[in-house]
């Protein structure tokens, strides 16, 4: 039976094909329901005009202002040689500032008649600069006449909603379209269970939609927001709770380590004791592995907090219990590095079945796409016979040809780099669903973890192991103070003279395959206009200039895997002084002797990426140094971001800053989801309490009624949220 016919009505039928096409293409709105959920970005108060004084350049703006004067000029031009060209200049004011509007050619007649001094109107257009003055050229406008009943009806009440608009569709046209569909809001099915809604004093959904689009007072807006935030948080958490509920029904083989097996032998040979944090997190993981449904756990750890060791102990426990463990790394460099460090940590325990290997040992196999045929065939044989208890690989592990003897645990490193399908394919290789441990070194604020990874239980490692050194970070303003950059290269030489090594990171490789990126438009100075600095150019300049005489090598993603491996080996062995690289070194690269890092064009990297990169130095007993080089001006947002990174080593603090700057749309709408973010009014950071409460309520609702049979409105809302792509995203999370 058709539950919500009015809200499913295509906009084509209601608004006509032309408007509907623009809405679909530019705003992603297709049905009446979509349009009702396209909320105002802010509200203009009739009495209080927008500040013309703070208009942003190059942005589409909507302002409410009064015409101060209007002048018609004639001029000669190529098109109108006899002085017949016409230009209308209108100055508008709002008390805070003045703004010039210009209209040309045939476009002058209508505004010349309508925009008389004293007239109030809404104007929309793109702010540009002409003769050092801000102006709007050919803005669209809507007169605000107090008498014409139609206009008053459209802009009812004292608050004028301003919608997220596009150049093709101004805010008030969207407002008029909403006026047309608003009566349908009465038929909106309420997704919240009545007891929850009443218990929390939230207004019904039809009322919330009415109040958000046509508020009479600020209290109306607050009521609507409070209600709509709950919808978003609750529906998302129900989706995740159902996912957890379904996972809990799946069978899995419990994996308990043997009392005197491989894990004990490994622990006995560790040269240090585990931190309290590592012990606590290991216990959580072992408890999960011992149950008969699959573990789904997210392990968050600061850069260098010893996550790999915790993951390795979990893998050894599974091997002890007769299963196999697979570790999935995002890049070949990282897979090789994990393989090398795990074999080193295990010593003879990694040589099971080999001469001189330990009785209790197992084989640790590497599988990547670029291995030779013979090595690959041997690796696959080790997996299918069960000879290899641990396999470390890239997505080559996922190919159909790869078979396991008994896959018990999948460890995914740096989760945000894997598409969801890839994790799912690997999980499908067990006879029963394997246990899953997802690791990330990008600290995720608690609420984001509850929202993005809400189907995973979370463990956090926040203690750094003993012996880790502090890292000093400084911003080097290359444009304002070129001598700072000269000093940076001197510091690198000093580190090398003291027997240490350094990284220099650049945003681009610099070979001809590098597309010249279109310069982003921004007022942030010329630094944005030139292409980002490139590894090959910088390596060359350094070797001939400030670092001449030192051994400088390059590393980037387009090198042949054997060459990459050779470069990393030479660097790890201390034969290379300075490694000039792209972000291929961002995760997992571990060279304790590397103490300095210079990040060129640091403003081109995200906050958490800079934090990751910085975590590559200071991994030994000597203090680390990280220099963030930027040509951005002092006051720019980019520089503020870099100052934030330089001022704290706390990844959780930085991830909050990062989020506040990127807004959560990017967090939820990561490349994995493919669908646009479902969050419109919910702010992941600010609405922490709502998300936590919604999670509790959602869990209770799903426990009581997993199929949601008694809540048709909630089912409908879930279907809308979990459109095809999003469904897969959550399914495979």
């Amino acid at each position: 039976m058709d539950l919500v016919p009015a809200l499913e009505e295509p906009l084509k039928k209601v608004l006509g094909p032309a408007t509907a096409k623009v809405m679909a293409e530019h705003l992603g709105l297709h049905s009446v329901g979509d349009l009702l959920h396209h909320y105002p970005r802010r509200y203009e108060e009739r009495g209080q005009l927008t500040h013309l004084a703070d208009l942003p350049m190059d942005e589409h703006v909507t302002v409410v202002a009064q015409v101060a004067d209007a002048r018609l000029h004639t001029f000669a031009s190529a098109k109108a040689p006899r002085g017949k060209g016409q230009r209308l200049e209108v100055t508008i004011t709002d008390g805070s500032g003045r703004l010039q509007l210009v209209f040309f050619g045939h476009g002058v007649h209508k505004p010349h008649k309508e925009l008389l001094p004293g007239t109030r109107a809404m104007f929309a257009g793109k702010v540009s600069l002409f003769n050092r003055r801000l102006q709007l050229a050919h803005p669209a406008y809507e007169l605000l006449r107090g008498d014409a009943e139609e206009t008053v009806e459209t802009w009812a009440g004292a608050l004028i909603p301003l919608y997220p608009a596009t150049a093709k569709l101004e805010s008030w046209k969207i407002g008029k379209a909403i006026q047309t569909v608003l009566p349908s809001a009465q038929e909106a099915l309420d997704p919240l269970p009545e007891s929850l809604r009443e218990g929390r004093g939230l207004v019904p959904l039809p009322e919330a939609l009415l109040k958000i689009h046509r508020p009479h007072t600020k209290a109306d807006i607050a009521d609507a927001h409070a209600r709509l935030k709950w919808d978003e948080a609750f529906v998302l958490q129900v989706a995740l709770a159902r996912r957890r509920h379904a996972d809990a029904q799946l069978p899995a083989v419990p994996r308990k380590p043997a009392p005197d097996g491989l894990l004990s032998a490994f622990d006995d040979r560790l040269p240090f004791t585990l931190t309290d944090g590592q012990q606590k997190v290991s216990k959580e993981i072992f408890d999960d592995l011992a149950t008969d449904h699959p573990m789904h756990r997210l392990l968050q750890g600061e850069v260098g907090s010893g996550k790999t060791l915790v993951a390795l102990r979990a893998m050894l426990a599974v091997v002890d219990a007769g299963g196999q463990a697979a570790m999935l790394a995002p890049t070949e460099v990282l897979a090789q590095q994990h393989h090398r460090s795990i074999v080193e940590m295990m010593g003879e325990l990694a040589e099971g079945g080999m001469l001189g290997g330990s009785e209790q040992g197992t084989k640790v196999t590497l599988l990547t796409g670029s291995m030779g045929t013979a090595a690959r065939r041997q690796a696959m044989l080790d997996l299918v016979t069960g000879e290899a208890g641990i396999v470390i690989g890239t997505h080559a592990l996922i190919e159909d040809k790869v078979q396991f003897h008994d896959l018990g645990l999948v460890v995914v490193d740096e989760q945000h780099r894997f598409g969801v399908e890839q994790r799912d394919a690997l999980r499908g290789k067990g006879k029963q669903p394997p246990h899953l441990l997802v690791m990330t070194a990008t600290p995720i604020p608690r609420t984001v973890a509850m929202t993005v990874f809400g189907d995973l239980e979370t463990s956090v490692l926040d203690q750094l192991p003993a012996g880790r050194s502090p890292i000093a970070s400084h911003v080097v303003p290359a444009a304002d103070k070129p001598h700072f950059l000269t000093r940076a290269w001197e510091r690198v030489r000093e580190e090398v003279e003291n027997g240490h090594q350094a990284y220099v990171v650049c945003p681009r490789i610099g070979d001809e395959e590098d597309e010249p990126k279109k310069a982003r438009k921004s007022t942030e100075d010329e630094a944005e206009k030139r292409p980002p600095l490139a590894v090959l150019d910088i390596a060359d300049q350094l070797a001939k200039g400030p670092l001449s005489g030192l051994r400088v090598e390059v590393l980037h993603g387009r090198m042949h895997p054997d060459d990459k491996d050779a470069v990393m080996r030479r660097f790890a062995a201390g034969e290379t002084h300075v490694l000039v690289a792209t972000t291929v070194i961002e995760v997992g690269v571990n060279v304790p002797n590397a103490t300095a890092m210079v990040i060129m064009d640091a403003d081109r990297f995200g906050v958490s990426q800079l934090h990751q990169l910085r975590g590559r130095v200071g991994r030994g007993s000597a203090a680390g140094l990280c220099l963030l080089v930027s040509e951005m001006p002092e006051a720019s947002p980019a520089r503020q971001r870099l100052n934030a990174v330089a001022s704290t080593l706390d990844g959780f603090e930085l991830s909050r800053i990062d989020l506040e700057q990127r807004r959560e749309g990017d967090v939820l709408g990561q490349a994995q989801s493919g669908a646009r973010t479902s969050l419109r009014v919910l702010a992941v950071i600010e609405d922490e309490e709502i998300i936590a409460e919604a999670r509790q309520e959602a869990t209770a609702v799903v426990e009581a009624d997993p199929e949601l049979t008694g809540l048709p409105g909630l089912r409908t809302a879930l279907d809308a949220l979990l459109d095809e792509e999003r469904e897969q995203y959550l399914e495979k999370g």
Side-chain angles (χ1 to χ4, degrees):
M1 89 180 180
D2 202 342
L3 278 175
V4 204
L7 297 194
E8 282 169 13
E9 187 85 43
L11 289 173
K12 248 198 323 250
K13 280 190 174 168
V14 191
L15 303 175
T19 308
K21 185 169 185 258
V22 177
M23 286 195 169
E25 284 174 10
H26 294 275
L27 297 168
L29 308 175
H30 303 279
S31 67
V32 168
D34 291 345
L35 182 53
L36 285 173
H37 287 294
H38 185 72
Y39 307 135
R41 194 181 45 198
R42 57 193 178 86
Y43 300 86
E44 263 313 335
E45 293 182 56
R46 285 301 264 307
Q48 169 206 327
L49 302 167
T50 324
H51 293 306
L52 290 179
D54 334 318
L55 286 180
M57 278 291 291
D58 283 342
E59 279 194 26
H60 277 278
V61 297
T62 304
V63 297
V64 179
Q66 191 158 15
V67 177
D69 71 35
R71 294 177 187 185
L72 192 59
H73 301 274
T74 52
F75 60 93
S77 72
K79 283 186 180 166
R82 290 196 299 280
K84 293 272 175 62
Q86 290 191 310
R87 179 174 81 245
L88 175 65
E89 290 180 2
V90 178
T91 307
I92 59 172
T93 176
D94 68 349
S96 77
R98 297 166 83 82
L99 177 67
Q100 185 151 33
L101 317 177
V102 286
F103 301 88
F104 294 101
H106 295 305
V108 305
H109 305 309
K110 186 166 176 273
H112 190 216
K113 284 210 298 275
E114 295 186 331
L115 297 178
L116 304 171
T119 310
R120 292 193 59 214
M122 295 178 77
F123 301 93
K126 193 173 184 182
V127 183
S128 58
L129 202 56
F130 182 71
N131 279 347
R132 299 209 176 150
R133 292 172 64 193
L134 292 182
Q135 70 166 30
L136 296 181
H138 284 281
Y141 61 88
E142 173 88 2
L143 301 180
L144 294 174
R145 299 193 190 89
D147 48 43
E149 195 211 345
E150 195 268 337
T151 321
V152 173
E153 179 51 40
T154 312
W155 309 111
L159 294 162
I160 302 168
L162 294 185
Y163 290 93
T166 74
K168 296 269 194 301
L169 202 62
E170 292 88 17
S171 167
W172 57 81
K173 289 190 180 157
I174 297 173
K176 283 185 166 171
I178 284 177
Q179 191 67 21
T180 310
V181 301
L182 208 52
S184 309
Q186 290 310 323
E187 297 186 39
L189 265 188
D190 206 320
L192 295 190
E194 203 165 321
S195 55
L196 185 155
R197 189 169 59 69
E198 288 178 352
R200 294 185 177 275
L202 300 168
V203 300
L205 182 57
E207 186 182 328
L209 290 171
L210 218 57
K211 282 182 166 173
I212 199 157
H213 292 298
R214 292 293 168 264
H216 292 293
T217 61
K218 287 186 174 166
D220 284 353
I221 301 171
D223 284 352
H225 269 159
R227 163 60 215 241
L228 295 167
K229 279 181 177 188
W230 253 95
D231 277 18
E232 287 177 11
F234 181 70
V235 174
L236 186 58
Q237 291 301 337
V238 167
L240 294 164
R242 288 186 73 187
R243 182 80 227 114
R244 291 194 299 276
H245 185 269
D247 283 340
Q249 313 305 310
L250 291 172
V253 180
R255 310 277 179 176
K256 292 184 181 145
D260 292 317
L262 183 56
L263 181 61
S264 314
F266 174 75
D267 283 349
D268 291 345
R269 50 169 294 143
L270 276 181
F272 50 81
T273 51
L274 299 179
T275 64
D276 296 347
Q278 286 173 320
Q279 290 182 346
K280 176 177 141 283
V281 169
S282 291
K283 182 180 181 322
E284 292 171 347
I285 292 171
F286 290 155
D287 288 351
D288 281 0
L289 289 173
T291 62
D292 53 9
H293 55 83
M295 163 170 84
H296 287 100
R297 191 166 279 282
L298 173 69
L299 172 58
Q300 292 190 60
E302 265 296 4
V303 179
S305 56
K307 292 183 301 299
T308 313
L309 177 61
V310 169
L312 175 57
R313 293 185 70 241
M315 297 200 287
L316 295 173
V318 169
V319 174
D320 253 358
Q324 287 168 295
M327 184 180 219
L328 201 54
T331 64
E332 295 209 344
V333 168
L334 199 53
Q336 285 161 342
Q337 186 120 18
H338 274 318
H339 181 253
R340 204 174 306 140
S341 65
I342 282 175
V343 168
E344 268 168 33
M345 286 199 292
M346 287 174 64
E348 73 272 13
L349 296 175
E351 298 163 359
M354 290 186 239
L355 213 58
S358 156
E359 284 291 297
Q360 293 144 313
T362 185
K363 199 165 177 182
V364 180
T365 294
L366 175 70
L367 182 62
T368 65
S370 64
M371 285 165 70
T373 322
R376 229 184 126 89
R377 193 173 296 134
Q378 183 56 52
M380 285 168 59
L381 193 65
D382 290 346
L383 291 185
V384 75
T385 57
E387 182 87 6
I390 293 178
V391 58
I392 293 147
T394 53
H395 41 87
L397 280 178
I398 293 168
E399 291 171 12
D400 294 342
K401 298 193 285 285
V402 180
Q403 300 293 324
F404 288 84
H405 176 64
D406 177 16
L407 180 61
L409 169 67
V410 174
V411 179
V412 178
D413 190 22
E414 284 312 318
Q415 118 89 33
H416 59 282
R417 298 185 168 217
F418 276 105
V420 188
E421 291 72 23
Q422 295 167 310
R423 291 204 306 267
D424 206 43
L426 194 52
R427 269 166 59 177
K429 290 192 178 286
K431 294 187 175 66
Q432 285 195 333
H435 298 282
L436 175 70
L437 180 65
V438 169
M439 298 200 295
T440 176
T442 310
I444 305 164
R446 173 171 154 258
T447 43
V448 181
M450 284 195 294
T451 313
V452 185
F453 304 113
D455 53 345
L456 301 174
E457 301 298 327
T458 305
S459 297
V460 178
L461 271 178
D462 43 16
Q463 262 178 308
L464 288 188
R468 270 308 164 85
S469 307
I471 304 171
S473 307
H474 304 283
V475 177
V476 177
D480 317 349
K481 300 181 179 164
H483 60 284
F484 275 40
L485 185 57
T486 312
R487 177 73 189 114
W489 301 127
E490 287 169 8
R491 282 291 289 114
V492 170
R493 289 195 86 98
E494 287 163 16
E495 289 297 314
V496 173
E497 280 158 17
N498 290 332
H500 297 303
Q501 293 158 279
Y503 297 100
V504 177
V505 182
C506 303
R508 206 161 60 93
I509 297 174
D511 54 10
E512 45 296 342
E513 284 186 56
D514 255 359
E515 304 271 312
K517 297 276 189 293
K518 291 194 182 73
R520 290 175 294 174
K521 278 198 179 167
S522 166
T523 47
E524 285 195 356
D525 198 81
E526 288 304 303
E528 286 280 64
K529 302 279 193 299
R530 63 166 174 73
L533 295 171
V535 167
L536 301 177
D537 306 343
I538 293 286
D540 194 42
Q541 289 165 20
L542 292 175
K544 290 176 181 157
L547 301 184
S548 62
L550 302 186
R551 285 192 295 279
V552 177
E553 288 211 64
V554 300
L555 178 71
H556 59 74
R558 274 207 284 274
M559 288 164 61
H560 187 278
D562 294 349
D563 297 343
K564 277 194 252 190
D565 203 36
V567 168
M568 271 319 294
R569 278 176 194 274
R570 285 196 293 274
F571 190 64
E575 295 164 23
T576 306
H577 296 137
V578 178
L579 187 61
V580 183
T582 54
T583 53
V584 289
I585 60 157
E586 178 185 345
V587 283
V589 172
N590 187 19
V591 180
N593 191 44
T595 52
M597 176 178 284
V598 181
I599 302 179
M600 307 303 289
D601 275 347
D603 46 88
R604 311 251 177 163
F605 298 98
V607 170
S608 47
Q609 203 174 21
L610 290 169
H611 183 56
Q612 283 291 319
L613 285 166
R614 169 170 64 185
R616 302 299 116 220
V617 294
R619 300 178 78 88
S621 51
L625 171 70
C626 178
L627 301 174
L628 305 167
V629 179
S630 169
E631 293 184 5
M632 285 299 169
E634 185 77 54
S636 62
R639 272 283 285 282
Q640 288 161 5
R641 244 192 359 252
L642 296 180
N643 293 341
V645 175
S647 67
T648 175
L649 289 171
D650 179 344
F652 285 93
E653 178 53 36
L654 286 174
S655 69
R656 284 185 88 96
I657 294 170
D658 194 19
L659 250 185
E660 281 156 9
Q661 294 194 332
R662 287 186 315 163
R663 300 202 324 277
E664 27 302 308
D666 310 346
V667 178
L668 298 179
Q670 273 178 324
Q672 305 186 10
S673 106
R676 52 202 174 87
T677 164
S678 58
L679 299 194
R680 295 188 181 85
V681 286
L682 191 70
V684 173
I685 291 281
E686 291 156 31
D687 298 323
E688 193 161 341
E689 284 170 24
I690 295 181
I691 292 170
E693 289 171 15
R695 181 177 165 124
Q696 283 181 338
E697 295 271 11
T699 308
V701 165
V702 171
E703 294 284 303
D705 179 7
E707 292 306 306
L708 310 177
T709 35
L711 299 163
L714 180 53
R715 286 198 68 117
T716 306
L718 261 186
D719 294 342
L721 169 72
L722 303 181
D723 51 39
E724 297 277 294
E725 287 171 289
R726 194 116 184 126
E727 172 97 57
Q728 289 167 3
Y729 165 50
L730 288 168
E731 282 271 309
K732 297 174 180 174

